[in-house]
Amino acid sequence: MSASRRAKPRPAARAEELRPEVPAVPEPVPGVGFAPSLVPPPPEGPLTSLLGEAARLLQKNPEFSSPRAFADLWNLFQHRTRSLDVDDFGFDEPASKSWQTLFEFLYRVWWRVSVTGLENVPGTGRGLLVANHSGVLPWDGAMVKTALRLEHPSRREARMLVLDMFTTLPFLQPWLREMGEVRACPENGERLLSRDELVGVFPEGVKGVGKLFRDRYRLARFGRGGFVRLALRTRAPIIPVSVVGAEEIYPNLLRLDFIGRPLGLPYFPVTPTFPALGLLGTIPLPTKWWIDFGRPIVFDHPSEIAERPMIVNELADKVRSTLQTMIDSRLARRGDVFTGD
Amino acid sequence: MADERVPGTAGGRATRRRNGGRVVAFAPAATRRPKVVVTGGAGPLGTRFVRALAARGTHDVVVFDLVPAADVPSEVRHRFVDLNLPHADGTVFKLLRDEKPDAVIHLAQIRSPSHQATYVHELNAIGSLHVLAASGEAKITRVILGSTTLVYGARGDNPNFLTEEHPLRPDPQDRFVRDFVEAESHARSHVRRHPEAKVALLRFAPFMSADVRDYRAKALGVPLAPSLMGYDPLLQALHTDDAVQAVLAALDHPEAAGAFNVTPEGVLPLSTARLLFGSLAVPVPHPLAYAIYEAAWELGVGLFPGIHAHYFRYLCVADNRKARKVLGFAPRKTTLEVMLETARARRGGTGILDFDRIEEAARLAAFRYQLRVKPPGPPAEIAGSGTVAPTPRRRTRGSEPEAGVAS
């Protein structure tokens, strides 16, 4: 405010200036004195020069002060990180990159993620990442994605298939879409894989992410084998991904489903900190993480096998036991939960 | 175009009528061109289609509507039909018996929600029934019926791209969409009654173009409007020219029957559409937003009933691969380009968006789109890739969608 006072504009002229429908503002002639205009001389402090710029802008383009212009300015502000060019599933690359800082911080500093087996993820072409799910909130998906973005030689963009319950929630729906995540259903998976994308699934689903602390690192049932059918139909290799460290970020002691259900949530976790400390309780614990990409599993079966549920279930169980072995061997080598030594 | 017309058909109405005795599908063009009846040929889509077909000069065109189509060549004839009359089917039958067309194209639909719900129901649902019944009696084997992708319904558990096999699940209270579903069910019964009939259902994505006043374009152009807080679905918009191309393609493939999604390439988030149209959204918690839309509708200022706001909350985007493959339909404009063209026309130069630059970006996006999205072919063409060992070519599989997999 003090800066604007320093500019000492003539008050009558100011009132006239800000009204766009008064066209009688003569053009300022450069060099010669100054016509009745309240545009202050430029170097007068940041606020004055900003106001001056704004006034000059209004003077040049009277349409700037219309309500439409206000709507445009506001919409443009909201779109400042976004692009016009989204893909079929609404993935907005610039918008998703604008969250990179947060994820990189979590990845490098907070959870100090160690990655092995990146050579098992193909540099081009389709692939189906099958990971264990844990940690109440799906941070594990975000970290698998970040690992591939940061550490994979071809900087692959993994498209995670997300549970319905997340993709229909307000605010989460547009955000997940922008980040490139897709609702989990066979049609979406097939479409993505047939476009040679890298697709990530968590076949445990809600049972995995809402697991109790005492059940940690014990894989739940692998859905209905949908991911196997997906791999059979699109001939995509399955790459098992074990995530170790995510089970301990929110030690889920108790599930109060009678609170969660009416709120439309699939579960209501009770952790040592969560309802007790309110929002502070949603800060995950800084455990040490390992993400291991296993050797690709390729099914040589004809795709008709996808219509035989018993065989599909058997194949799913094979993948599940492979993943459980990977998790167990990592757990055996892991020392402290927080330091990893 | 008049110069290119085959001799013997240029002689005006009377000549053609005398020539057109029996329907012979592949008769020499000099004796008779195939004849097409367009019901609703004076409507927004109908007029454009009739113009395009007349310009092509391959068919004789007769418009069945309340009024003649505007700005069409004089050789396009008009027969008065009011599909709202209870005995419209009889009238249409008599006219069809008289005209003996090779194909009936039914485009008489109101494509925006209306307060006169009864009128819309009579036209969109019962009107289709009348036309189908009359075509069946008149032994017309080729019927093309306009529908909409809204029939799939906007649901939270829709896949991102709905295929033609997906069940139709609109909200049962949404009368406007329900009428289209009813029309489709009449088409299915028609095929059951007349197995020889080839009925093509063209499910158009909502239209937009600079000169079409669709409720969606209007809703997006409202300067200040409530929006469903926290929801930002992807939308499709089809250019009317592409819709016309699809009807022409369906006419050129007389064997193509069943439903076809006629949709453009690309999608656009609702918020980006609002940016282009210059509409300021006031986020309101969604239960309240439904109530506000409903109240506005009841007061006569709303553009659609509250229940229809589902389509601004959840996905209802359809896949055009079948139309591309079977009909050879190739949309020329992406959703972004269509929205941009419409927005620019509706704004009339207000606001501060630099549309030239946005258009450049849209062209670039459309180009990149073609590079990035190789339209996925049938599964048989997919070969193994990456670390996968070469696998035998896969055979086509059954197309029944499964629910709740990959959870």
Side-chain angles (χ1 to χ4, degrees):
Chain A
M1 261 301 103
S2 64
S4 63
R5 224 178 291 135
R6 257 189 288 129
K8 281 184 275 172
R10 278 158 292 178
R14 162 171 290 217
E16 191 181 55
E17 181 61 32
L18 289 180
R19 239 182 294 127
E21 58 270 23
V22 179
V25 184
E27 281 286 305
V29 187
V32 189
F34 221 75
S37 157
L38 82 10
V39 181
E44 275 271 1
L47 186 62
T48 2
S49 59
L50 205 68
L51 282 174
E53 278 306 315
R56 225 173 269 131
L57 210 64
L58 282 178
Q59 187 180 347
K60 275 199 201 119
N61 323 48
E63 75 273 11
F64 262 57
S65 52
S66 68
R68 189 70 92 182
F70 177 70
D72 281 346
L73 280 174
W74 178 250
N75 286 338
L76 283 171
F77 173 71
Q78 296 216 313
H79 277 72
R80 65 198 176 279
T81 59
R82 296 167 51 183
S83 77
L84 275 178
D85 180 15
V86 296
D87 86 340
D88 271 354
F89 292 87
F91 171 42
D92 190 340
E93 213 176 325
S96 88
K97 288 273 155 44
S98 68
W99 291 88
Q100 187 74 359
T101 327
L102 169 70
F103 288 128
E104 224 173 304
F105 167 77
L106 289 172
Y107 183 84
R108 293 200 196 282
V109 181
W110 199 252
W111 287 315
R112 294 144 285 138
V113 183
S114 298
V115 180
T116 65
L118 274 174
E119 68 279 0
N120 293 322
V121 182
T124 53
R126 65 194 66 178
L128 187 60
L129 305 169
V130 176
N132 58 316
H133 215 1
S134 50
V136 183
L137 290 179
W139 287 113
D140 44 0
M143 288 301 108
V144 171
K145 229 176 132 85
T146 313
L148 289 166
R149 253 192 202 173
L150 294 177
E151 317 237 355
H152 193 271
S154 348
R155 304 274 174 271
R156 288 215 71 172
E157 194 68 54
R159 310 292 299 263
M160 298 296 169
L161 298 189
V162 184
L163 286 168
D164 287 10
M165 63 183 203
F166 294 121
T167 52
T168 52
L169 282 180
F171 299 105
L172 219 50
Q173 180 223 41
W175 187 73
L176 287 172
R177 167 179 67 62
E178 267 180 22
M179 302 295 293
E181 322 307 11
V182 172
R183 194 186 84 86
C185 65
E187 293 92 338
N188 286 349
E190 261 180 62
R191 198 176 171 101
L192 282 169
L193 284 172
S194 63
R195 272 169 46 173
D196 280 343
E197 302 255 10
L198 194 59
V199 176
V201 291
F202 297 91
E204 289 176 88
V206 193
K207 300 184 299 303
V209 74
K211 213 179 278 172
L212 288 179
F213 190 63
R214 62 159 188 265
D215 297 328
R216 62 188 179 278
Y217 300 119
R218 264 185 281 157
L219 288 176
R221 177 172 55 83
F222 263 19
R224 296 166 206 81
F227 74 98
V228 173
R229 270 190 286 266
L230 204 56
L232 285 170
R233 280 175 187 157
T234 57
R235 311 236 66 108
I238 287 181
I239 301 149
V241 184
S242 97
V243 183
V244 170
E247 290 276 19
E248 288 93 357
I249 58 171
Y250 302 110
N252 189 3
L253 303 175
L254 200 62
R255 277 198 326 216
L256 300 181
D257 288 348
F258 65 93
I259 302 183
R261 289 270 159 69
L263 295 172
L265 302 170
Y267 47 83
F268 187 86
V270 179
T271 72
T273 51
F274 173 51
L277 298 182
L279 271 184
L280 268 181
T282 60
I283 297 175
L285 297 177
T287 53
K288 160 82 186 165
W289 284 32
W290 276 273
I291 298 178
D292 302 310
F293 294 93
R295 294 180 59 79
I297 302 168
V298 182
F299 296 133
D300 285 328
H301 306 68
S303 50
E304 287 84 14
I305 294 294
E307 304 308 325
R308 299 181 58 183
M310 222 173 79
I311 300 176
V312 166
N313 198 29
E314 194 190 315
L315 294 173
D317 209 55
K318 210 179 267 176
V319 177
R320 182 169 166 264
S321 59
T322 310
L323 191 52
Q324 186 70 62
T325 315
M326 284 169 67
I327 294 170
D328 291 345
S329 77
R330 175 54 69 189
L331 281 175
R333 280 177 283 158
R334 177 174 81 154
D336 186 70
V337 172
F338 291 97
T339 61
D341 303 323
Chain B
M1 200 39 74
D3 303 344
E4 295 163 22
R5 214 182 294 135
V6 255
T9 56
R13 182 185 305 180
T15 324
R16 267 206 317 281
R17 265 189 167 174
R18 275 199 300 278
N19 286 346
R22 264 179 46 78
V23 177
V24 187
F26 295 105
T31 48
R32 190 183 182 280
R33 297 190 294 183
K35 189 189 270 184
V36 168
V37 160
V38 185
T39 51
L45 177 61
T47 312
R48 285 173 176 78
F49 170 68
V50 168
R51 264 180 228 152
L53 191 58
R56 224 170 61 158
T58 50
H59 290 71
D60 287 337
V61 191
V62 186
V63 168
F64 283 13
D65 209 323
L66 295 169
V67 289
D71 297 330
V72 292
S74 54
E75 65 189 36
V76 173
R77 281 178 301 121
H78 167 242
R79 308 291 299 258
F80 176 86
V81 169
D82 186 354
L83 287 174
N84 263 290
L85 298 177
H87 298 297
D89 46 356
T91 323
V92 175
F93 169 66
K94 275 178 210 135
L95 291 175
L96 286 180
R97 201 177 47 186
D98 187 26
E99 296 285 351
K100 294 192 174 53
D102 301 78
V104 170
I105 300 178
H106 180 56
L107 300 175
Q109 287 108 6
I110 290 177
R111 289 182 173 271
S112 296
S114 165
H115 281 285
Q116 292 161 306
T118 317
Y119 180 88
V120 173
H121 174 74
E122 290 297 311
L123 183 63
N124 287 4
I126 309 300
S128 300
L129 176 64
H130 287 327
V131 170
L132 287 164
S135 310
E137 289 298 325
K139 303 270 181 290
I140 311 266
T141 51
R142 183 54 171 164
V143 180
I144 298 171
L145 194 65
S147 184
T148 167
T149 55
L150 301 181
V151 291
Y152 293 113
R155 298 268 180 165
D157 56 352
N158 273 348
N160 275 56
F161 285 86
L162 296 152
T163 53
E164 286 80 357
E165 292 85 38
H166 202 270
L168 308 183
R169 305 180 301 162
D171 194 296
Q173 291 178 335
D174 196 339
R175 294 184 66 178
F176 166 61
V177 180
R178 222 177 48 195
D179 288 337
F180 281 99
V181 177
E182 191 190 324
E184 290 208 0
S185 73
H186 293 320
R188 273 190 296 278
S189 318
H190 179 79
V191 175
R192 204 185 61 239
R193 289 181 195 125
H194 306 275
E196 75 288 354
K198 298 277 181 221
V199 179
L201 276 170
L202 300 182
R203 291 180 182 149
F204 300 109
F207 298 144
M208 253 186 217
S209 70
D211 48 353
V212 169
R213 295 177 66 78
D214 185 74
Y215 77 101
R216 280 203 171 198
K218 282 187 205 165
L220 289 171
V222 173
L224 192 73
S227 72
L228 301 149
M229 190 191 269
Y231 288 98
D232 189 12
L234 299 167
L235 304 179
Q236 278 179 322
L238 181 71
H239 199 277
T240 33
D241 292 348
D242 283 335
V244 167
Q245 290 306 317
V247 186
L248 287 174
L251 190 61
D252 292 340
H253 293 78
E255 289 303 309
F260 296 93
N261 292 332
V262 181
T263 59
E265 291 303 327
V267 289
L268 201 66
L270 172 61
S271 59
T272 310
R274 285 216 178 92
L275 167 78
L276 296 178
F277 280 84
S279 165
L280 197 60
V282 184
V284 178
H286 61 88
L288 188 60
Y290 280 99
I292 293 176
Y293 281 124
E294 184 62 29
W297 174 251
E298 292 298 333
L299 289 171
V301 291
L303 290 158
F304 47 83
I307 200 77
H308 199 74
H310 281 324
Y311 291 92
F312 296 94
R313 183 178 179 193
Y314 292 130
L315 270 177
C316 181
V317 167
D319 181 12
N320 64 12
R321 275 183 285 178
K322 187 182 171 195
R324 274 183 174 276
K325 202 170 144 221
V326 179
L327 302 179
F329 166 66
R332 291 189 194 144
K333 288 200 167 163
T334 62
T335 295
L336 173 59
E337 288 171 306
V338 175
M339 291 257 192
L340 200 54
E341 185 191 318
T342 317
R344 195 168 194 178
R346 289 194 68 88
R347 276 179 168 226
T350 59
I352 57 169
L353 288 192
D354 187 347
F355 270 97
D356 292 327
R357 276 181 59 191
I358 297 178
E359 254 164 32
E360 214 175 287
R363 265 199 300 279
L364 193 67
F367 177 63
R368 270 213 300 276
Y369 197 88
Q370 287 167 1
L371 290 181
R372 188 178 50 207
V373 185
K374 302 154 274 181
E381 286 162 27
I382 297 166
S385 58
T387 56
V388 198
T391 42
R393 295 193 133 208
R394 53 161 308 191
R395 276 154 265 181
T396 46
R397 68 176 178 85
S399 52
E400 64 288 326
E402 267 169 289
V405 195
S407 56

